[in-house]
Amino acid sequence: MPKSALLLFSLLIVIHLSPSAAYNVVSFGARGDGRTDSTAAFLRTWKAACSSAKPASVSVPRGKYLLKSIWFVGPCRSRIVFEMSGTIVAPDNYNVIGNSEFWILFYKVSQLTIVGGTVDAKGHAFWSCRQRNGRCPGGARSITFQWCNNVVMRGLTSLNSQTIHIAINHSNNIKIQNVKITAPSGSPNTDGIHIQSSRGITVTGSTIRTGDDCISIGPGSMNLWIEKIGCGPGHGISIGSLGNYANEEGVLNVTVTNSVFTKTQNGVRVKAWARPYGSYARNLVFRNLIMRNVGNPIIIDQKYCPDNSCPHESSGLRVSQVLYKNIKGTSATQAAMTFVCSASRPCYGIKLQDIKLTYVNTLRRPTVAYCEHADGYTSGSVSPRSCL
């Protein structure tokens, strides 16, 4: 193809893909001073973009925009690009958003792209209330996608969420790319990304430093791809907790790859309550992972009980077809691999391949593996020695 024709073709593509209707939140009354309530202005902007017959953009220029709890509701007529150069901040009084489950909610929205920006929920006062067992609200998730499809979030920074930073529920084909999530290691229940009842979710190229799971995967999650994650501090990447309710959906086809864990409480974990409810977690792949001073780098725990109020039953969850491949580094616990499975429904099909985990303890004790009701096999070099 001649260069002139190629240039024209490329220009046509750009014109075709570029939003045709632009909506700036400042034009609808938002003020970037960090003090003025801009919730209504953002809603007016969204309403205009959502009703546009042409593809639209919502622009948030530089500045700090104070938002109370806000719902961006679809379905919209065309695709929307949400372009953020500024920072969205929560009110200083944590009750304002804390009495709502959601701070920023996208509900029944499809064909949405969110680019850049920062959201700061100012969670410190809320966490302090929780830690002193005060009369606190339930807390708000910073960003939630509920019943959404075909969404891309790229380059966003989330700071100090009251609870979960990014939640994905009942949604399909969501791509989270190059996000940065930060909260102190002691902040309670501040999961980085929580996925539940959703399919076709990818999380790539992201850094997550928080007080709970970097990524948590709940019931009904299928076909997930998680790659190039820097996790820590935090509790690691967890499938679960599962098996806490009757008629719970299973978890299927999850891959975690090419990621680094640093000083996390756990590495890759499957956790389930010791309750008799039948469900499953299968076709799980954990590969090409580096552990740096990580507690429990590899763990399946079907006696999960975080608050000492334990059910003391046998888990009805079936964990099967799990691959751990090329996982190396250092363990903060002597038990570098732990498989505590159900007596009534043992784990099976667990494969260990090319594992090398050493103990950071100064006494230079060797790492060990611990098994209960777990069946599987090994290939390549596996250290610590397998207990399967």
Side-chain angles (χ1 to χ4, degrees), residues 13-79:
I13 290 177
V14 170
I15 292 172
H16 176 71
L17 293 178
S18 298
S20 299
Y23 302 92
N24 189 312
V25 295
V26 173
S27 300
F28 286 81
R31 296 184 64 180
D33 57 11
R35 300 183 304 273
T36 304
D37 181 6
S38 294
T39 309
F42 270 65
L43 285 175
R44 286 192 295 268
T45 312
W46 176 261
K47 183 177 180 181
C50 189
S51 60
S52 172
K54 301 178 181 179
S57 69
V58 172
S59 177
V60 181
R62 291 185 179 183
K64 290 187 177 181
Y65 301 86
L66 188 148
L67 294 187
K68 298 177 181 178
S69 294
I70 187 167
W71 288 36
F72 297 111
V73 178
C76 298
R77 296 182 66 185
S78 298
R79 64 180 179 86

Side-chain angles (χ1 to χ4, degrees), residues 139-383:
R141 303 174 175 192
S142 282
I143 299 175
T144 300
F145 299 101
Q146 191 100 359
W147 299 102
C148 293
N149 298 298
N150 304 316
V151 174
V152 177
M153 172 184 280
R154 182 169 60 248
L156 179 130
T157 297
S158 177
L159 304 175
N160 302 319
S161 180
Q162 289 188 351
T163 59
I164 296 167
H165 285 257
I166 299 171
I168 301 169
N169 298 319
H170 299 286
S171 297
N172 298 294
N173 301 322
I174 311 292
K175 295 180 179 180
I176 307 295
Q177 302 169 339
N178 305 112
V179 301
K180 294 181 180 179
I181 294 173
T182 303
S185 60
S187 56
N189 303 117
T190 52
D191 293 51
I193 300 172
H194 178 70
I195 303 165
Q196 186 158 330
S197 300
S198 298
R199 300 187 179 195
I201 312 301
T202 66
V203 184
T204 58
S206 297
T207 302
I208 305 173
R209 303 168 57 88
T210 187
D212 210 296
D213 291 327
C214 293
I215 300 173
S216 57
I217 298 165
S221 300
M222 299 183 182
N223 304 329
L224 274 55
W225 186 271
I226 298 166
E227 183 174 14
K228 295 182 180 178
I229 305 300
C231 172
H235 294 184
I237 293 179
S238 294
I239 294 176
S241 60
L242 305 176
N244 200 27
Y245 302 100
N247 304 314
E248 193 176 88
E249 293 181 289
V251 173
L252 178 68
N253 298 337
V254 176
T255 295
V256 179
T257 186
N258 300 326
S259 296
V260 179
F261 297 74
T262 303
K263 295 183 178 180
T264 50
Q265 288 189 14
N266 305 278
V268 286
R269 174 169 58 157
V270 179
K271 54 183 179 179
W273 294 86
R275 300 189 189 279
Y277 308 127
S279 189
Y280 63 88
R282 69 173 181 264
N283 295 349
L284 314 178
V285 176
F286 305 103
R287 70 186 186 205
N288 304 334
L289 307 177
I290 296 174
M291 304 290 171
R292 296 174 175 167
N293 197 9
V294 169
N296 309 305
I298 295 172
I299 180 169
I300 296 175
D301 181 8
Q302 291 196 248
K303 295 181 180 178
Y304 175 68
C305 181
D307 56 7
N308 297 317
S309 179
C310 308
H312 298 297
E313 298 177 280
S314 181
S315 173
L317 184 85
R318 174 77 80 184
V319 180
S320 64
Q321 307 306 321
V322 186
L323 171 63
Y324 300 93
K325 180 179 180 181
N326 192 31
I327 300 176
K328 299 177 180 179
T330 54
S331 174
T333 51
Q334 190 171 11
M337 298 191 297
T338 301
F339 304 102
V340 177
C341 298
S342 169
S344 59
R345 305 195 77 184
C347 302
Y348 71 90
I350 298 173
K351 181 178 180 180
L352 303 173
Q353 180 178 351
D354 300 326
I355 310 294
K356 186 176 181 180
L357 295 166
T358 57
Y359 191 24
V360 296
N361 188 286
T362 55
L363 298 177
R364 297 190 180 280
R365 296 172 181 169
T367 51
V368 298
Y370 177 77
C371 290
E372 289 183 17
H373 312 295
D375 182 65
Y377 55 99
T378 67
S379 68
S381 175
V382 173
S383 177

